[in-house]
Amino acid sequence: MNIFKILTTAGLVGMYSQVIAGSFDDTAYQKSFDLNSIIVTQKNQITMDTIKPEQTIIDLAGHQVPVLKDGLYDRFGSNPPLSVIEKERPDIDLSWFKTIQKEKKNVGFTTYSPNFYYSNSSITAIYTADMKTLKKLIPAEVRGIVKPISITPGRGLIAITAYAYHYCDNDSYNELSISIVTTKPDAGNWGIFSLLTEVKNKNLWGYVLKLPVDTELARVRGVVGYNLPKWLIPMDYSDKGDAMNFTFYDESGKPDFSIGGKKLDIENTEPEIVRSNFINVDKNGKLTHGYTDVRALKKAISKKNEDVKLDLTEGPLSKFIKSLDLGKLMRYDYQPEFQAALYTPEPASQTKK
């Protein structure tokens, strides 16, 4: 049985596509990911003549952030009553969220953990990639406790995921994640067997290299509150026709990278919850651990190259993807409907094996 069949048999749907994490070590974007100065490059670039009529300005950790006027975040921050969600979106199943108790947290601003994502879509393409490159991209302090999983000699795994968060505590936004599949902390690297163990336990680990978003609210919350490598770029999402498509632009507005995935026939499976863990570094250089619980409602997978397409240019994101030396497509995941709960990070010293 080849590796793809092993992964498919294991039910590895959405593998690491929901892991939200990371750091960044590419000089082309270094100014955007120094957690002590990240806000400086984009802080307060919002002026009243660029605010849309449907937006208003809020103060978030000393940053002026535009949000949807009378939207969820404007009215409730990160703690909207589920009764409000139920009234405004009666089509959404809230049964899972009703089992979760939020906790008030201070992460540079007041928030309530976990952050709820009520209705979302994503596509993921998972490829083999050069192991030497992957090792170099993980900071030494993180690499000391997690390792890129070796799928074949000299090759690891990269997951490229495009998200459309249609309705969440942060209103709505789009996001791109490029992540390395890793071992859990302080565990041996037994290649495919390490991966299958994580899948069996529904407890996945990854390290995200890129996490751009298209709203200032998502960027500031991610950087200040979650130690995440977020920066702001324009993005387009389309669900028309027989494919789900995302286009990502550079900071000047030029098309950089796009991914499109075929709408596959949905599998008849019961919703299941998988935990995706991340290790990253806070502004003080300390390791932190966070996680996202993901409830997949509709999903399907494929291994056909023609079902997913990456369009690369000479833009910075495209150049970065090229530098990974992508190889075989291991799987394509189509997830037109999922829900998620994102928890604030805690010191990694509290992480249990």
Side-chain angles (χ1 to χ4, degrees):
M1 184 179 290
N2 65 32
I3 289 173
F4 178 84
K5 289 182 179 178
I6 291 174
L7 299 182
T8 303
T9 302
L12 189 54
V13 176
M15 180 182 66
Y16 295 90
S17 62
Q18 313 303 337
V19 178
I20 307 177
S23 181
F24 186 83
D25 194 30
D26 188 284
T27 55
Y29 279 111
Q30 189 62 47
K31 67 182 179 68
S32 297
F33 292 101
D34 179 349
L35 288 176
N36 289 309
S37 62
I38 184 170
I39 304 296
V40 173
T41 58
Q42 293 183 324
K43 179 183 179 183
N44 293 334
Q45 292 181 359
I46 306 298
T47 58
M48 291 310 296
D49 61 348
T50 63
I51 298 302
K52 299 177 181 178
E54 66 271 20
Q55 291 180 321
T56 188
I57 295 293
I58 65 168
D59 182 274
L60 187 62
H63 306 290
Q64 300 304 297
V65 177
V67 299
L68 180 64
K69 186 184 301 182
D70 295 324
L72 287 183
Y73 205 85
D74 184 29
R75 287 178 290 162
F76 308 108
S78 57
N79 195 29
L82 289 179
S83 59
V84 172
I85 306 301
E86 198 165 31
K87 180 179 179 180
E88 296 185 357
R89 289 294 305 272
D91 57 308
I92 295 178
D93 174 17
L94 298 178
S95 59
W96 177 52
F97 296 106
K98 291 178 180 179
T99 68
I100 304 172
Q101 182 64 49
K102 289 198 175 202
E103 295 183 16
K104 189 175 182 179
K105 299 280 187 176
N106 187 344
V107 292
F109 53 87
T110 298
T111 190
Y112 290 81
S113 179
N115 208 58
F116 286 167
Y117 294 78
Y118 307 102
S119 177
N120 321 276
S121 304
S122 68
I123 52 175
T124 299
I126 302 171
Y127 295 92
T128 64
D130 179 66
M131 178 60 79
K132 290 183 179 179
T133 300
L134 301 187
K135 288 180 178 179
K136 291 178 181 178
L137 289 170
I138 300 179
E141 58 267 45
V142 176
R143 198 168 61 245
I145 60 174
V146 298
K147 305 287 192 301
I149 288 179
S150 177
I151 200 70
T152 58
R155 306 292 290 178
L157 289 174
I158 281 285
I160 301 175
T161 304
Y163 298 99
Y165 301 117
H166 306 301
Y167 191 65
C168 65
D169 288 347
N170 303 349
D171 295 316
S172 64
Y173 66 100
N174 300 310
E175 183 175 65
L176 172 67
S177 169
I178 303 176
S179 63
I180 300 173
V181 179
T182 73
T183 62
K184 68 179 185 179
D186 301 319
N189 191 348
W190 303 104
I192 185 64
F193 298 104
S194 295
L195 185 57
L196 292 178
T197 298
E198 293 186 17
V199 173
K200 179 181 178 181
N201 295 332
K202 297 181 181 180
N203 195 32
L204 311 177
W205 289 83
Y207 183 81
V208 172
L209 302 166
K210 306 281 189 182
L211 205 63
V213 293
D214 67 351
T215 70
E216 185 71 353
L217 177 60
R219 185 186 75 85
V220 174
R221 279 183 54 87
V223 172
V224 177
Y226 295 82
N227 313 313
L228 297 176
K230 296 195 176 188
W231 77 102
L232 189 65
I233 59 173
M235 302 179 182
D236 287 333
Y237 159 78
S238 173
D239 193 36
K240 297 179 181 179
D242 59 1
M244 186 181 297
N245 295 288
F246 293 81
T247 300
F248 305 94
Y249 301 81
D250 64 22
E251 292 182 64
S252 69
K254 295 180 180 179
D256 184 341
F257 162 65
S258 63
I259 179 172
K262 181 180 179 180
K263 294 180 180 178
L264 304 175
D265 292 334
I266 300 301
E267 302 169 354
N268 292 319
T269 57
E270 291 296 320
E272 68 172 7
I273 298 172
V274 175
R275 176 160 295 180
S276 294
N277 300 268
F278 59 88
I279 297 288
N280 58 13
V281 183
D282 68 14
K283 62 182 179 181
N284 298 315
K286 303 294 185 180
L287 294 176
T288 62
H289 164 237
Y291 60 90
T292 307
D293 285 341
V294 177
R295 182 175 185 246
L297 300 177
K298 296 179 181 180
K299 60 189 180 183
I301 63 172
S302 169
K303 65 176 181 179
K304 297 179 181 179
N305 285 315
E306 60 266 28
D307 286 344
V308 62
K309 182 181 180 182
L310 308 184
D311 286 325
L312 303 174
T313 68
E314 292 304 310
L317 275 173
S318 293
K319 287 182 178 179
F320 178 78
I321 293 171
K322 292 175 184 178
S323 75
L324 301 173
D325 187 24
L326 300 185
K328 179 181 175 66
L329 174 71
M330 298 302 294
R331 63 183 291 126
Y332 160 59
D333 293 351
Y334 170 60
Q335 196 162 231
E337 188 64 35
F338 73 92
Q339 298 176 327
L342 170 63
Y343 290 78
T344 54
E346 303 290 346
S349 58
Q350 299 178 11
T351 301
K352 295 181 179 180
K353 294 183 180 181

